[in-house]
Amino acid sequence: MKKNWPYLALGVGIVAIIAAVVYYQFQQKKPQQAAFAPDSSVYSTQNYTNLVLDSTILIDFYRLHLVADSIQKDVSEFYRRRNYQYAWFSENTLTNAALNFNQQREAFISDFADSSLYSHQIDTLLLEAHTKGSQFLKRHQDAQTLELLLTTAFFKYTDKAFTGSVKDPLDLEWFIPRKKKDYQALLDTLVSAKGNPMREPVNRYYVLLKNKLQYYRSLEKKGGWPTFNFPKKSLQANDEDSSLIALKQTLLMWGDMNEADSSALFTDSLAVGLKRFQHRLGLVENGKIDANTARELNRPISFRIRQIMLNMERLRWVPAEMEPNMLLINIPEFKLHVFENGKQTWMSNVVVGKEATKTSIFRGNLSYVVLNPYWVVTNNIINNEILPKLKRNPGYLARNNMEVVSGNKVVDPYSVKWSSYTKNVPFTIRQKPGPGNSLGKVKFLFPNSYSIYLHDTPSKSLFGESTRAFSHGCIRVSTPEKLALHVLKNDPAWNEEKLESVWKTQKEKWITVRPALPVYIVYFTAWVDQTGQLNFRNDLYGLDKALEQEIFGERIASKS
């Protein structure tokens, strides 16, 4: 940590005076902003301490400690609203809030191996202030420095820990809008909470994953789990192999086996432990040591820790409080989660977009249910898949229950000279409702600029695959009838019998959903489920790799 620069009595004094005058004049010329409404429970006519900062010291502090402009603004605003009263000291000693915040800061540095928040000067001055109490406060310069260092550290910490290292997730294909967090109010609460630790303004999934990160850090310090040597033959119940000793140790560390077992025997409890592991990793749950299972078992603990950290970064982008009634689709998990009154009530398998036709990450409002839908074929599919077939034989459309439309008029496909087009066909091609319709019996629309929606499908066999990335971007649902009943449950005009009666007609029917149901399409490769189990999935679209480069790029480059 840099030492404080020595003051040259005359030169620095003149510079400080000039800087203060310039800063004051600049502030006077700036347009007046709306005043921040202080928390009346924190700020009133009462003074909470007789310790007051000299406001002119802020300029020198910012310069000496190279404080970023955005942090300067937050620090200045904080002290202006409290009439420059100290926040981290009472009359005679350091407050519990200071100690608790510093513990949180140090825990973050340890959990995320993030040295950017470390300050040797804070540690040194904090120890002296804690041990010497009122004697430390008599050292006015040191007391003011520690006061400002803690406040500056708070805004740096909250910006990174709660907002995230990535300031614009749009560059990483994440289009869910973020709500700006009020760190001024958070600090107000912290310094007035009589030492109670501050509540992190993040969602509960972040907190759950953070607890797992701390556990994995503790395992890492102990050396992690042993490497598993893939057996040369397929092992069955009661087979013996020395590799099973390390495997059982690993599954015990993961929590997939409940009791230690140092034998080399393939036991029933080992098969159960393997199935638990496979379930949490999204693998085929066969209780066997296949190649995919062995590969995931041999991921080093450093890989899993980094995977947890990447997904904690994503969770900082998610609203702290999500709607109690919503749908959430996690792309790498291939699952739809249904939430009612803040609790997950059921799940459904889904099929998502292939790597070449990724499903977008965004939030929408499910506003319409369409029974017996037409499938309007996208331009990409027309250009790449259908047009070549039409050039060979326009009868392709009739065989697939499709039609050509211009405006509201159906066009005879044999009247169109398909050979004259290479792309951008000036017609709509759509598939009529019926048993073979690619959207099945129902689709769920949440208007968006990505042309993404949920729908049924006649291709049910794909839901049995463990990896389900087969679509052109839209999301196929394995239980569309159940989802339709759920989405329309607030509308007394619709029940199972009414839906079935419409499906039998094979005529398209649009239903407005009131109120609209929030839909989140997200991308998490590590999370804690409703049973408290830590789950991992593969990086389907390579977005973990891109985020890793964004966050750890310098460290990766330095090792290469």
Side-chain angles (χ1 to χ4, degrees):
M1 189 72 185
K2 292 183 178 180
K3 295 181 179 179
N4 288 345
W5 297 350
Y7 283 93
L8 299 175
L10 180 61
V12 173
I14 293 173
V15 169
I17 292 170
I18 293 173
V21 171
V22 171
Y23 179 80
Y24 175 77
Q25 290 176 340
F26 175 73
Q27 291 294 97
Q28 291 296 100
K29 292 179 181 179
K30 286 176 62 178
Q32 293 296 315
Q33 297 179 348
F36 185 98
D39 183 343
S40 60
S41 67
V42 177
Y43 299 113
S44 68
T45 54
Q46 177 184 355
N47 287 327
Y48 286 85
T49 176
N50 291 326
L51 300 172
V52 179
L53 286 168
D54 181 351
S55 60
T56 60
I57 199 175
L58 292 176
I59 301 169
D60 285 337
F61 177 84
Y62 297 149
R63 175 176 55 82
L64 292 172
H65 295 273
L66 304 178
V67 180
D69 290 347
S70 59
I71 302 296
Q72 289 185 32
K73 181 180 178 181
D74 284 330
V75 173
S76 296
E77 173 66 13
F78 174 70
Y79 284 109
R80 183 189 65 77
R81 289 188 297 107
R82 61 185 293 119
N83 295 322
Y84 297 93
Q85 295 177 70
Y86 277 49
W88 305 102
F89 290 88
S90 63
E91 298 305 322
N92 297 309
T93 187
L94 201 66
T95 64
N96 287 333
L99 300 174
N100 287 331
F101 162 65
N102 196 55
Q103 288 176 354
Q104 284 187 262
R105 182 182 65 88
E106 290 181 336
F108 183 90
I109 293 170
S110 175
D111 290 341
F112 293 94
D114 189 342
S115 60
S116 68
L117 295 177
Y118 175 72
S119 169
H120 176 71
Q121 190 174 14
I122 286 180
D123 290 348
T124 301
L125 292 176
L126 202 63
L127 178 62
E128 292 184 21
H130 184 52
T131 55
K132 296 182 180 179
S134 58
Q135 293 300 314
F136 178 82
L137 284 171
K138 293 178 180 179
R139 294 158 44 188
H140 298 296
Q141 184 174 342
D142 285 345
Q144 288 191 117
T145 298
L146 178 56
E147 169 71 24
L148 292 173
L149 282 172
L150 285 171
T151 304
T152 303
F154 172 85
F155 287 113
K156 287 181 180 178
Y157 164 77
T158 51
D159 186 54
K160 178 163 283 193
F162 303 150
T163 300
S165 300
V166 176
K167 303 310 176 190
D168 190 3
L170 298 181
D171 294 338
L172 296 168
E173 303 181 48
W174 184 281
F175 302 108
I176 299 174
R178 296 195 291 183
K179 183 179 180 181
K180 183 175 176 58
K181 297 179 174 69
D182 188 350
Y183 297 132
Q184 293 279 345
L186 183 64
L187 183 51
D188 289 346
T189 303
L190 172 63
V191 299
S192 64
K194 299 181 179 179
N196 295 327
M198 66 180 173
R199 179 179 177 272
E200 299 176 348
V202 287
N203 54 74
R204 68 185 188 89
Y205 303 103
Y206 177 93
V207 177
L208 292 171
L209 204 52
K210 179 180 177 180
N211 293 336
K212 296 296 183 182
L213 174 63
Q214 292 170 341
Y215 173 67
Y216 271 60
R217 285 290 190 198
S218 69
L219 289 181
E220 185 181 39
K221 291 177 181 178
K222 298 175 183 177
W225 43 73
T227 301
F228 172 66
N229 296 316
F230 191 74
K232 296 179 179 179
K233 63 176 183 177
S234 178
L235 299 178
Q236 308 292 330
N238 298 318
D239 285 348
E240 284 193 67
D241 192 283
S242 60
S243 65
L244 298 182
I245 298 174
L247 173 59
K248 290 176 180 179
Q249 289 176 337
T250 297
L251 291 176
L252 183 66
M253 288 181 176
W254 281 74
D256 295 314
M257 289 188 69
N258 298 325
E259 296 180 359
D261 181 355
S262 59
S263 74
L265 188 67
F266 198 115
T267 61
D268 290 341
S269 60
L270 174 58
V272 171
L274 282 168
K275 287 181 180 180
R276 289 174 178 168
F277 174 82
Q278 290 164 338
H279 177 78
R280 294 188 302 102
L281 275 290
L283 304 170
V284 176
E285 298 174 36
N286 55 20
K288 298 178 180 179
I289 311 169
D290 53 37
N292 289 334
T293 301
R295 183 185 66 248
E296 297 301 332
L297 283 165
N298 273 331
R299 301 279 195 191
I301 194 166
S302 59
F303 177 88
R304 295 303 182 195
I305 286 175
R306 183 160 289 197
Q307 199 173 7
I308 293 172
M309 291 170 63
L310 292 175
N311 285 277
M312 289 182 70
E313 173 71 14
R314 288 192 182 104
L315 282 166
R316 295 182 185 113
W317 308 342
V318 175
E321 297 293 338
M322 300 175 74
E323 294 87 346
N325 299 304
M326 66 174 182
L327 305 180
L328 185 146
I329 298 99
N330 186 18
I331 295 171
E333 185 190 9
F334 311 109
K335 290 281 188 184
L336 162 70
H337 301 260
V338 177
F339 288 83
E340 299 179 77
N341 299 318
K343 295 183 179 180
Q344 179 179 294
T345 53
W346 54 282
M347 295 185 296
S348 180
N349 287 347
V350 298
V351 170
V352 300
K354 297 175 286 189
E355 168 65 21
T357 53
K358 300 175 183 176
T359 298
S360 300
I361 302 163
F362 68 99
R363 180 199 179 282
N365 288 306
L366 200 162
S367 305
Y368 302 100
V369 173
V370 184
L371 308 180
N372 299 323
Y374 282 92
W375 173 44
V376 178
V377 185
T378 64
N379 287 332
N380 283 338
I381 297 177
I382 292 175
N383 295 337
N384 299 326
E385 301 179 27
I386 294 181
L387 186 57
K389 297 174 182 177
L390 290 177
K391 290 179 179 181
R392 292 193 296 269
N393 183 0
Y396 168 84
L397 295 178
R399 291 196 302 273
N400 289 276
N401 200 28
M402 291 181 173
E403 60 187 8
V404 181
V405 180
S406 178
N408 294 322
K409 183 180 179 181
V410 176
V411 177
D412 181 355
Y414 288 93
S415 68
V416 179
K417 190 176 180 180
W418 299 107
S419 60
S420 64
Y421 300 108
T422 57
K423 59 180 180 178
N424 299 327
V425 173
F427 302 101
T428 296
I429 297 178
R430 65 184 186 183
Q431 189 176 40
K432 294 182 282 188
N437 185 282
S438 295
L439 303 185
K441 295 162 39 174
V442 58
K443 68 177 178 181
F444 306 86
L445 298 180
F446 35 103
N448 59 83
S449 59
Y450 315 102
S451 299
I452 302 294
Y453 50 85
L454 304 173
H455 64 87
D456 181 18
T457 176
S459 304
K460 305 294 186 182
S461 62
L462 296 178
F463 292 114
E465 301 290 332
S466 58
T467 299
R468 297 186 291 276
F470 301 107
S471 82
H472 289 87
C474 287
I475 300 166
R476 307 173 193 171
V477 183
S478 64
T479 55
E481 298 91 346
K482 184 176 181 179
L483 182 59
L485 285 169
H486 172 75
V487 171
L488 297 172
K489 67 179 183 177
N490 294 323
D491 189 339
W494 292 96
N495 54 33
E496 187 173 0
E497 291 74 21
K498 182 68 179 293
L499 290 173
E500 289 292 346
S501 68
V502 175
W503 279 323
K504 289 177 182 178
T505 68
Q506 294 189 16
K507 292 183 179 180
E508 189 175 69
K509 173 69 176 178
W510 283 61
I511 308 168
T512 302
V513 178
R514 294 189 179 93
L517 186 64
V519 178
Y520 288 86
I521 302 177
V522 297
Y523 191 95
F524 293 112
T525 56
W527 71 94
V528 178
D529 63 27
Q530 72 276 12
T531 67
Q533 297 299 308
L534 178 60
N535 288 249
F536 292 106
R537 293 296 186 275
N538 288 328
D539 185 16
L540 182 64
Y541 294 159
L543 299 183
D544 274 9
K545 186 177 180 180
L547 179 56
E548 184 176 40
Q549 183 65 35
E550 183 80 14
I551 297 177
F552 306 114
E554 293 182 4
R555 275 178 262 180
I556 292 173
S558 65
K559 292 180 181 179
S560 60

